[in-house]
Amino acid sequence: MRTITVVTATRAEYGLLRPVVQKIAASDVLDLQLVVTGAHLCPRLGETVHEIEADGLPIAARLPIFTDNADEPVAKTIARTIEIFDNHFAAHRPDAVLLLGDRFEIFAVAAAAAARHIPIAHISGGDVTLGAADEYYRHCISKMAAVDFPSCADSAARLVRMGEAPDTVFCVGGLGDENIRTLPKMSREELCKSTGLDLMQPFALVTYHPETAPDAGSPAVQVQALCDAMAAVDGVFWLITGSNADAGGQVCTAMMQTFAAAHPDRAGFVQSLGLRRYLSAMDCAALVAGNSSSGVVETPTFKVPTVNIGRRQAGRAICANVLCCDADEPAIEAALRRALSPAFAPVAAGAVSPYNGGETSEKICAVLAKFDFARPKIFYDGPVPEFDPQRSVLV
């Protein structure tokens, strides 16, 4: 049995990891050690550990890393997280640590594991997001990782150009795409009952996070521009979810709550929808808007019209259903109106997702069971092969 520690810190990340975690838990050759941290354990960020508990998955450890200070510098949170996870890995050393994405919390976990020479398996490396600090956290995690599971061919090729050996890069497709294709969805009626909101009418799913690049503008100014644009566009109900733990996230959330409270007939706020409700809402929505990665990575599978605001996701592959605009009121309003127009519907319907890899979670588990984690990591400086998410990656 190989012990695989899976670390999850946010609702979005757990939603993607969920099928992998379930398969590891059911495996005869892999032993799951699920560690919950970050926003999952923080009341002001939704305390979304309850979603994991509801799935019945065994939680091996709960490691709080946030304080009551929402404005704590990220560097201090990173330092605390490294110390907490170093202590954990000293007492519970797994055969490998499975991490997803590019959050600063996950970067800190990776640093703690790497410092103790624990192999890291990294999901969703090789992506590009120029409008967020996640850009360099992600690449740092990839450089510490022993094996990579990129979600599309472009990201896989980018990892090889970064020096990752091709036989350590497994282009498995996107977990979000797999969730969309396999998770049973709620009906509109069920969504209405679950949220307490009238979602039988056309509605837009809205999630906005702060931009965290060094030259990012004010989150408050950007959210105000989004709120003004939503107020100006009629014919749709705004279903708004809370922002994340990045600096400025609490400001974004508070402003969105204020907007919803000021427009009770036109908007509603839910801090966290959870995986099933979120994907169900995306499936039923007339529009998705904001700057979450799900807006550009997952919406193409649904073929739902989407407005991606600002620079947070700059650099990612943009499909036909996604309109990108600046984070100012005139640009946002124009993009929302175009996305909701009858003329854009057939354009969105023609979207083709590059993230369909089939049984992505099964492929990841197969590699985790057989990969030689003892092999030394090298810097590869050779040719870049072609990658296809649909090909078999079983080793």
Side-chain angles (χ1 to χ4, degrees):
M1 294 287 286
R2 275 188 169 177
T3 300
I4 306 295
T5 292
V6 183
V7 181
T8 176
T10 70
R11 67 192 184 196
E13 171 196 83
Y14 171 68
L16 295 173
L17 281 171
R18 183 173 178 265
V20 180
V21 174
Q22 290 174 328
K23 286 182 174 62
I24 295 175
S27 173
D28 293 331
V29 296
L30 298 174
D31 178 33
L32 172 68
Q33 296 293 311
L34 180 61
V35 177
V36 177
T37 188
H40 286 308
L41 304 176
C42 186
R44 63 181 169 84
L45 295 170
E47 205 168 11
T48 46
V49 66
H50 301 308
E51 298 174 17
I52 303 173
E53 293 169 339
D55 283 338
L57 290 165
I59 298 175
R62 303 171 191 236
L63 303 180
I65 59 173
F66 290 134
T67 67
D68 293 335
N69 179 13
D71 297 318
E72 179 179 77
V74 170
K76 288 189 176 182
T77 308
I78 289 175
R80 182 187 307 110
T81 303
I82 291 175
E83 180 177 7
I84 289 171
F85 273 84
D86 179 69
N87 291 335
H88 176 78
F89 290 139
H92 308 278
R93 184 182 181 90
D95 293 297
V97 178
L98 180 64
L99 303 174
L100 183 145
D102 43 35
R103 297 282 308 165
F104 65 85
E105 306 97 308
I106 296 303
F107 162 76
V109 175
R116 287 196 172 270
H117 305 290
I118 299 172
I120 296 167
H122 185 208
I123 300 172
S124 292
D127 293 350
V128 174
T129 51
L130 301 177
D134 300 351
E135 169 74 0
Y136 47 82
Y137 292 135
R138 180 189 313 109
H139 298 325
C140 286
I141 298 169
S142 292
K143 296 312 298 181
M144 290 186 277
V147 61
D148 284 281
F149 299 110
S151 58
C152 65
D154 285 348
S155 295
R158 190 174 292 114
L159 283 167
V160 175
R161 292 198 298 272
M162 288 169 55
E164 301 307 301
D167 59 349
T168 69
V169 176
F170 297 89
C171 188
V172 295
L175 287 168
D177 184 272
E178 181 184 8
N179 277 337
I180 291 168
R181 289 182 284 103
T182 61
L183 190 70
K185 312 298 189 301
M186 301 170 71
S187 66
R188 279 182 179 267
E189 291 80 3
E190 289 173 315
L191 279 172
C192 292
K193 183 177 180 180
S194 178
T195 62
L197 301 171
D198 180 10
L199 302 179
M200 298 304 293
Q201 59 188 312
F203 69 89
L205 178 61
V206 181
T207 304
Y208 195 87
H209 303 304
E211 293 186 6
T212 54
D215 59 347
S218 163
V221 171
Q222 294 170 356
V223 172
Q224 187 59 57
L226 173 56
C227 289
D228 291 344
M230 289 191 294
V233 176
D234 296 322
V236 66
F237 182 89
W238 305 101
L239 172 59
I240 306 168
T241 68
S243 189
N244 63 16
D246 285 337
Q250 289 293 98
V251 172
C252 295
T253 293
M255 293 180 69
M256 290 295 197
Q257 288 173 318
T258 299
F259 176 85
H263 302 81
D265 296 331
R266 299 191 55 209
F269 179 89
V270 179
Q271 176 65 41
S272 175
L273 287 169
L275 176 63
R276 185 167 178 245
R277 286 198 302 179
Y278 185 78
L279 292 183
S280 299
M282 192 179 287
D283 189 29
C284 296
L287 169 72
V288 172
N291 64 358
S292 170
S293 60
S294 64
V296 296
V297 174
E298 296 173 21
T299 62
T301 302
F302 284 115
K303 304 181 186 298
V304 59
T306 300
V307 172
N308 174 52
I309 301 167
R311 297 182 61 247
R312 186 177 175 93
Q313 303 302 328
R316 288 194 188 272
I318 301 298
C319 295
N321 67 302
V322 180
L323 297 172
C324 295
C325 68
D326 292 335
D328 60 72
E329 192 278 333
I332 297 172
E333 181 182 341
L336 292 176
R337 293 187 184 281
R338 183 183 172 198
L340 289 167
S341 69
F344 189 70
V347 177
V352 178
S353 172
Y355 302 103
N356 183 357
E359 297 298 326
T360 296
S361 58
E362 182 177 316
K363 292 177 179 180
I364 291 173
C365 289
V367 174
L368 290 175
K370 297 180 180 179
F371 186 81
D372 180 12
F373 285 109
R375 62 180 289 177
K377 184 177 175 74
I378 65 167
F379 190 97
Y380 175 80
D381 206 12
V384 179
E386 292 187 7
F387 288 94
D388 180 359
Q390 290 287 357
R391 74 174 174 85
S392 173
V393 297
L394 304 185
V395 296

